[in-house]
Amino acid sequence: MSTAPSRLRKSALSIAMGLCLASLAAAPAFAQSATGAVAGRAAAGEQVTLVNTATGASRSVTVNSDGTYRIGQLPPGDYAMTAGTGAPVNVNVSLGGTTTVNLGSDGGVANLAAVEVVGSRVINRVDVRSTESATNVTREELARLPVDQSLGSVAMLAPGVVSSGASFGGLSFGGSSVAENAVYINGLNVTDPYRRQGFSSVPFAFYQEFQVKTGGYSAEFGRSTGGVINAVTRSGGNEFHAGVELTFEPSAWASDKEDHFHSDGTVDERSYTSRDYNSFLKANLWASGPIVKDKLFFFAMYEKRDSSPKDFDANVAFLTESSNDFWGAKFDWRINDDHLVELLAFSDKADSATDVYFYTWAAGSLDRLKGDSISNSGGDNWSLTYTGHFTDNFVAKAMYGVNKRSAVNSSTQDPDCSIVTRSSNYTARFGAETTPEGCHPTDGSFNSRYDKREAMRLDFEWTLGSHLLRFGMDHETLDSDSLTLYPGDGVSYQAQAATAGASLNGTTIPAGTTAIIDARRYITGTPVTTEMQAFYVEDNWNVTPNLLLSLGLRADKFHNKYSTGVTFASADFGDMIAPRLGFSWDINGDGTTKLFGNAGRYYLPLTNKLADYFAGTTDEHTYYVLNGWTAANHPVAGTYLLPILGQQIGPVNDDGNVSPPEDFRTAVARDLKMVFQDEYILGFQQAINPEWSWGVNATYREVTRAVEDVRINNVTGCPWYSGDFPVINPGETTTLWCPDTQDWVTFDNSEEGYKALGSGALTGYKKPKRTYKALEFQLDRAWDDKWTFNASYLWSKSEGNIEGPVNSDTGYADTNLVQFYDHPAVNERYGVLFNDSRHQIKLRGSFKLNEMWSFGATLSTRSGGPITAFGVRWPNDNRGFGPGEFSGGGSGWLCVANCSSINRELVFTERGAFGRMPWVTNVGANVTWTLPVEGVDLKARFSVFNLLNSQTVVNVHTRYESTAGTRMPYFGEGTGWQSPRYMQLVVTYNY
């Protein structure tokens, strides 16, 4: 006879995922992981039925003759499960996973040794159907932890995910660069198609569950060699619910940023920061429920956000007001138990206006208004998804969606005011500015970009005995339309000191000249379209009841073109074949111990930015003698000075112009191949007891190909290539069109392609390579309605001669257009890379004291990245690099003697030769108060982020020399730091 506790365990089943060795324990994803599944063993021939407790939707299958069953394509949520005449069992279906429920002859749960019972909840400790690495997090879990309200903060809970110290920000997954990730919301790809470095912004409260994929993801996922952030939004059910959430972040609750100074006492380039502050408030209203009971449901949300950042620098202050709203809705139409239609729609449009003032730091006085700066972003988004269960064994899913983004920076003074600036040598000679020069408030260009993605997907699941066949296709059309130009008359005027008789622009500077004007005209941007398709097929085969094999294959293609229809680059299905292989072995057959592994290839297509750049850029400099200044007046900016242009010095310098290729066969290699990464993971997981589990896994990733613009100035048999930058695969054989011979020319660019200036030495480019090796340990204690704890340690090593499609060392963010192959010197060094965080420790936990008070804490600490020096010369070569961080990468050779000659004496430095940055530590803590009144859901959560107020340096100056032998004064000094401590109060009321 069963005991009462035993009966309770069997009747109170709710499978929840809870962060149990999350990076090891997630299950294979289905249809971009917007759904989940339930599978297991039961008596052959019995009927297994799942009923969604919120919507009443029902799904049933008959247990196979071998005693196995599976129900797929289930919306995440709570279900009541019955088998035969057994009592109902509560099951929770998690995002992107398969919940394993083995049932005994009485219909109760049979795999009790592998689960933990918490009240009416039972949690699987080891997911024996998983072959990938992922971390799942629910809204309920996040409510117990001090995690800021952003997707990035959620992603950083996963081992191997760190916030990049790059000047352009972003997340690094498994040693990859920030431009290799993908983000999905309800299966809709919302990743930035232009640079692949951002994604659409959705309020935290709009989400239901998150999945952070760090490796080994299935064949339906592609176009990523980093990681995937996957999320689903909340939905409505048969009961009406509503709520309000208020978030407060007053500036008084934040610590001051530190002012940063160079070693010589001068203030850092970003100027002062100690007086900057920001107050943030948002109010969120939501409601959900039935429109037609059991048939049609809704979830709707409106959020109002007010932010007022203030930035005070030495001479100027920026006072911003940003009052934006978000709206979003999800509709679910259950046509019947076999057919479901879902509509998601949201708008993340945002605008901000900044008043720019003159400011005197010493006096702390806000002086007269200069003008304004306006920023616009976001767009309208929607997706429509259909799921059909045509038989017990065959499911189809179709999705169509549109994702829009924008990024516009302007000023209301753009039509009236040109940019007028001065160089440092002009100030050194003539003194500091007194009357304002120019009337533009920011001296910045007008920038606009509008992106649109149209996405279509078809996914199918077909169960055939011990085989689950999954196959499908997707199609995405990515449109980007960008424009950059200078305001006013389209010219930027810079005053520079000059010396009469010196040479400038091929002409002698006229007698009596002490200053000149560099008038620069710069225009770039064009409409670009990329069409991408993919097919995949995967067989999840239960070879035995304890051994699962996942055999997958994916094929991608893309076509990158201009609005005129002219092709920039393309790749066919045969060029991007990606096999995936995984296994999971339930060693003891009881779901307590698992050995798993996977191997796969992942491709990364080109971004729209690359084609946009090659469409042409106007970058012209015209030089004039400066004949003084004349006063003018603007209704907002007041009195200002304009330069008086004198005699023109030489012709217009159009060396910077990039004309569209007359023949794109000279700009893009005929045999261009796409970047791919091979990945191998082997892991082990074990449930110590129903509460505790541990695991370990090892990961190896390798990239051996790049797609970049490469300096080619010498090709045997084709003199036409004298200084061009075609897009090729560096370090490989290349075929380009030769206009001289009107034929194709093939050469090995690892042997030739570059001719040194001065010596005439011929050489080629090193083959790119990036490797990532990692060993990860995790220990997890599941939530039992009292406390939970998770600890992870990751040892990793990221090394090579290329970071990825961006360059964080020098802060160059244009994807596929970095300086790695502007010169052979840039990529000849193989060693530790920018994203090499050798040690990472992450702890998180929460504790419930009583029904009123609970507490949470997080700690993450990682070792700092390497410091690498970039010089400006290469042996036997007079062609150099500019002195700025963004000036063409740099060389590992540093000059120590005879530096003005081609025979200069150089010493070679490895990557990371100048040590490492300090450890970066972040501690968070929160306390939650819950009103102890039954039937009233009122909570207040107070969180402190960066509790220790660590403002550690996360990036440094890497340019070692300005000219050969002349050391830059600030090499190795900071350029980026952690954000200071801040506090947040979130008050929620739900009913």
Side-chain angles (χ1 to χ4, degrees):
M1 179 180 294
S2 299
T3 64
S6 176
R7 289 195 299 270
L8 175 63
R9 290 166 67 92
K10 293 183 179 181
S11 64
L13 180 65
S14 171
I15 305 296
M17 46 76 194
L19 294 181
C20 56
L21 282 176
S23 72
L24 299 176
F30 300 98
Q32 298 297 28
S33 290
T35 58
V38 175
R41 304 184 63 80
E46 280 198 333
Q47 191 86 352
V48 175
T49 300
L50 285 174
V51 178
N52 189 300
T53 57
T55 66
S58 175
R59 290 293 308 143
S60 298
V61 296
T62 301
V63 180
N64 299 321
S65 59
D66 62 356
T68 63
Y69 74 92
R70 182 180 183 279
I71 304 176
Q73 294 294 344
L74 296 170
D78 293 322
Y79 291 79
M81 177 179 182
T82 56
T85 59
V89 172
N90 297 321
V91 176
N92 179 272
V93 175
S94 61
L95 170 63
T98 300
T99 300
T100 299
V101 184
N102 295 330
L103 301 172
S105 58
D106 61 351
V109 183
N111 56 326
L112 288 175
V115 299
E116 178 202 6
V117 178
V118 183
S120 63
R121 301 169 62 245
V122 177
I123 301 174
N124 275 356
R125 306 306 301 133
V126 178
D127 188 342
V128 295
R129 300 175 186 274
S130 168
T131 66
E132 69 177 9
S133 298
T135 296
N136 280 61
V137 192
T138 62
R139 296 181 66 248
E140 292 76 16
E141 176 73 23
L142 291 170
R144 298 192 295 264
L145 294 170
V147 177
D148 201 8
Q149 299 178 352
S150 70
L151 272 180
S153 297
V154 176
M156 284 190 291
L157 293 175
V161 182
V162 298
S163 177
S164 172
S167 59
F168 40 86
L171 297 175
S172 171
F173 285 68
S176 64
S177 75
V178 302
E180 301 174 53
N181 308 319
V183 178
Y184 295 87
I185 299 176
N186 286 13
L188 175 66
N189 191 345
V190 296
T191 315
D192 167 31
Y194 191 70
R195 287 192 177 94
R196 204 169 43 236
Q197 293 176 38
F199 46 86
S200 297
S201 174
V202 172
F204 212 56
F206 196 60
Y207 293 113
Q208 175 60 37
E209 191 170 346
F210 308 85
Q211 187 180 54
V212 183
K213 296 176 181 289
T214 53
Y217 28 94
S218 303
E220 77 270 25
F221 280 94
R223 305 178 189 125
S224 167
T225 51
V228 173
I229 302 176
N230 197 38
V232 292
T233 62
R234 297 163 70 179
S235 297
N238 273 326
E239 295 183 3
F240 180 82
H241 295 283
V244 59
E245 180 177 275
L246 302 176
T247 301
F248 304 88
E249 290 183 18
S251 59
W253 292 1
S255 298
D256 293 336
K257 293 182 180 179
E258 297 172 355
D259 290 327
H260 298 284
F261 299 90
H262 297 305
S263 54
D264 60 5
T266 58
V267 69
D268 173 77
E269 288 84 353
R270 279 141 295 279
S271 194
Y272 297 98
T273 57
S274 61
R275 296 177 187 173
D276 300 348
Y277 65 89
N278 179 29
S279 290
F280 177 69
L281 168 67
K282 68 177 181 181
N284 184 292
L285 299 171
W286 65 271
S288 69
I291 298 175
V292 178
K293 189 175 181 180
D294 293 334
K295 288 292 183 182
L296 183 61
F297 314 94
F298 80 96
F299 177 87
M301 176 174 288
Y302 173 79
E303 182 172 279
K304 184 68 175 178
R305 294 165 284 186
D306 285 309
S307 178
S308 54
K310 307 293 186 287
D311 181 359
F312 296 92
D313 293 342
N315 302 306
V316 65
F318 304 89
L319 278 58
T320 302
E321 291 295 334
S322 179
S323 179
N324 296 294
D325 53 8
F326 166 92
W327 63 262
K330 171 85 184 306
F331 296 92
D332 297 87
W333 178 25
R334 185 167 68 89
I335 302 172
N336 54 43
D337 285 340
D338 294 325
H339 301 278
L340 173 68
V341 175
E342 303 167 80
L343 173 64
L344 169 71
F346 67 89
S347 175
D348 64 344
K349 291 181 178 179
D351 308 303
S352 65
T354 301
D355 287 333
V356 184
Y357 290 85
F358 287 102
Y359 182 73
T360 304
W361 180 265
S365 60
L366 196 65
D367 304 326
R368 70 176 178 84
L369 181 69
K370 291 183 67 176
D372 63 23
S373 174
I374 300 171
S375 176
N376 313 100
S377 64
D380 296 330
N381 309 268
W382 65 274
S383 66
L384 186 67
T385 304
Y386 162 78
T387 304
H389 297 259
F390 290 94
T391 69
D392 287 351
N393 298 324
F394 187 78
V395 184
K397 189 167 188 174
M399 187 208 74
Y400 176 81
V402 174
N403 165 232
K404 292 183 178 181
R405 294 169 52 85
S406 64
V408 181
N409 294 289
S410 62
S411 169
T412 55
Q413 290 163 235
D414 282 346
D416 307 325
C417 301
S418 298
I419 295 174
V420 179
T421 61
R422 50 165 56 198
S423 66
S424 58
N425 66 6
Y426 184 88
T427 299
R429 179 175 296 184
F430 299 101
E433 177 186 79
T434 53
T435 304
E437 294 158 3
C439 62
H440 198 274
T442 65
D443 288 332
S445 58
F446 168 82
N447 298 281
S448 70
R449 195 181 81 242
Y450 298 92
D451 301 315
K452 178 183 177 182
R453 169 188 279 104
E454 288 187 83
M456 294 177 283
R457 287 192 62 87
L458 286 174
D459 297 278
F460 303 92
E461 292 183 10
W462 189 9
T463 303
L464 294 172
S466 60
H467 296 267
L468 170 63
L469 297 179
R470 304 179 51 250
F471 52 97
M473 62 162 290
D474 72 23
H475 178 101
E476 290 189 0
T477 300
L478 314 178
D479 295 318
S480 295
D481 189 357
S482 66
L483 174 65
T484 298
L485 52 81
Y486 290 136
D489 62 0
V491 176
S492 173
Y493 300 90
Q494 184 180 71
Q496 302 173 357
T499 302
S503 177
L504 174 67
N505 195 28
T507 303
T508 300
I509 297 177
T513 301
T514 58
I516 64 161
I517 287 292
D518 177 359
R520 183 187 185 191
R521 182 181 299 276
Y522 183 87
I523 305 172
T524 188
T526 192
V528 176
T529 295
T530 299
E531 294 180 347
M532 300 190 293
Q533 297 88 35
F535 292 91
Y536 76 91
V537 60
E538 183 175 89
D539 180 11
N540 291 291
W541 176 25
N542 281 103
V543 182
T544 72
N546 300 337
L547 179 63
L548 170 72
L549 289 184
S550 179
L551 310 172
L553 188 68
R554 179 184 176 92
D556 280 86
K557 67 176 292 187
F558 78 91
H559 184 195
N560 196 297
K561 60 186 178 180
Y562 298 103
S563 58
T564 59
V566 174
T567 295
F568 175 74
S570 63
D572 212 339
F573 288 117
D575 302 322
M576 303 172 74
I577 300 293
R580 312 279 171 86
L581 171 65
F583 77 92
S584 177
W585 177 27
D586 182 3
I587 297 175
N588 297 327
D590 59 0
T592 61
T593 307
K594 179 183 74 169
L595 180 70
F596 78 101
N598 53 67
R601 174 164 290 186
Y602 303 84
Y603 276 92
L604 196 68
L606 301 182
T607 60
N608 283 352
K609 170 62 185 177
L610 185 60
D612 182 7
Y613 174 81
F614 272 83
T617 297
T618 298
D619 191 359
E620 300 173 344
H621 293 259
T622 307
Y623 300 92
Y624 301 91
V625 173
L626 176 58
N627 283 347
W629 300 83
T630 183
N633 191 72
H634 187 273
V636 175
T639 301
Y640 65 97
L641 300 179
L642 282 175
I644 301 173
L645 304 183
Q647 177 183 343
Q648 182 172 325
I649 305 172
V652 175
N653 185 333
D654 60 2
D655 292 346
N657 284 354
V658 179
S659 300
E662 295 181 6
D663 191 332
F664 273 90
R665 293 176 296 180
T666 66
V668 182
R670 182 180 66 176
D671 49 0
L672 188 70
K673 303 178 184 67
M674 292 302 102
V675 175
F676 66 87
Q677 176 171 267
D678 287 330
E679 178 186 74
Y680 307 90
I681 299 175
L682 182 65
F684 174 83
Q685 185 185 5
Q686 183 180 44
I688 303 171
N689 56 40
E691 292 82 21
W692 289 90
S693 59
W694 74 281
V696 59
N697 72 353
T699 300
Y700 178 78
R701 288 177 156 190
E702 183 178 65
V703 175
T704 55
R705 178 175 292 158
V707 174
E708 289 290 341
D709 62 321
V710 179
R711 183 195 294 269
I712 299 295
N713 61 8
N714 187 87
V715 175
T716 302
C718 188
W720 187 88
Y721 288 95
S722 58
D724 300 273
F725 287 83
V727 177
I728 65 174
N729 299 121
E732 302 184 30
T733 299
T734 298
T735 300
L736 292 165
W737 182 254
C738 180
D740 295 336
T741 62
Q742 287 294 295
D743 200 359
W744 296 99
V745 57
T746 300
F747 63 100
D748 184 351
N749 73 72
S750 69
E751 300 291 337
E752 65 168 313
Y754 180 77
K755 182 176 183 179
L757 182 64
S759 69
L762 300 178
T763 188
Y765 293 86
K766 297 286 186 181
K767 187 175 178 64
K769 186 174 182 179
R770 183 187 76 196
T771 61
Y772 174 77
K773 306 166 188 174
L775 188 62
E776 174 192 319
F777 300 88
Q778 280 209 58
L779 177 67
D780 185 83
R781 203 276 183 185
W783 175 252
D784 62 353
D785 205 36
K786 187 69 175 179
W787 70 288
T788 182
F789 175 75
N790 179 274
S792 68
Y793 167 74
L794 181 77
W795 176 93
S796 64
K797 188 174 185 180
S798 181
E799 55 188 345
N801 62 350
I802 182 171
E803 177 190 351
V806 296
N807 189 352
S808 300
D809 281 305
T810 58
Y812 208 87
D814 284 341
T815 309
N816 293 121
L817 283 168
V818 295
Q819 315 101 321
F820 290 123
Y821 292 96
D822 286 5
H823 191 286
V826 184
N827 76 308
E828 68 174 341
R829 289 186 288 181
Y830 184 90
V832 290
L833 296 171
F834 180 86
N835 293 312
D836 179 51
S837 296
R838 193 62 51 87
H839 305 280
Q840 298 177 42
I841 299 171
K842 296 184 179 183
L843 308 176
R844 60 182 177 269
S846 55
F847 172 71
K848 182 178 178 181
L849 179 64
N850 51 42
E851 295 303 316
M852 183 181 296
W853 296 99
S854 59
F855 306 88
T858 60
L859 180 146
S860 66
T861 182
R862 63 176 176 88
S863 54
I867 300 176
T868 299
F870 290 87
V872 296
R873 285 294 186 270
W874 201 43
N876 301 316
D877 192 3
N878 273 334
R879 185 175 285 110
F881 302 88
E885 303 287 351
F886 305 95
S887 302
S891 166
W893 295 88
L894 309 178
C895 188
V896 295
N898 198 27
C899 296
S900 61
S901 166
I902 196 172
N903 298 316
R904 59 186 66 87
E905 183 179 341
L906 302 170
V907 296
F908 183 74
T909 62
E910 300 284 351
R911 289 182 177 272
F914 289 81
R916 285 183 174 267
M917 288 172 273
W919 281 65
V920 180
T921 300
N922 200 322
V923 177
N926 72 341
V927 57
T928 301
W929 171 84
T930 302
L931 180 67
V933 176
E934 187 175 353
V936 180
D937 186 3
L938 175 65
K939 290 182 173 65
R941 183 175 69 250
F942 182 74
S943 303
V944 183
F945 304 100
N946 193 4
L947 179 67
L948 304 180
N949 196 28
S950 303
Q951 299 188 38
T952 306
V953 64
V954 296
N955 206 345
V956 298
H957 287 284
T958 57
R959 179 69 69 200
Y960 189 87
E961 297 173 310
S962 57
T963 59
T966 304
R967 179 166 173 167
M968 293 286 283
Y970 309 134
F971 169 76
E973 298 182 17
T975 61
W977 296 265
Q978 278 182 277
S979 297
R981 175 175 54 230
Y982 65 101
M983 306 176 193
Q984 179 187 86
L985 175 65
V986 179
V987 179
T988 60
Y989 174 67
N990 302 315
Y991 66 93

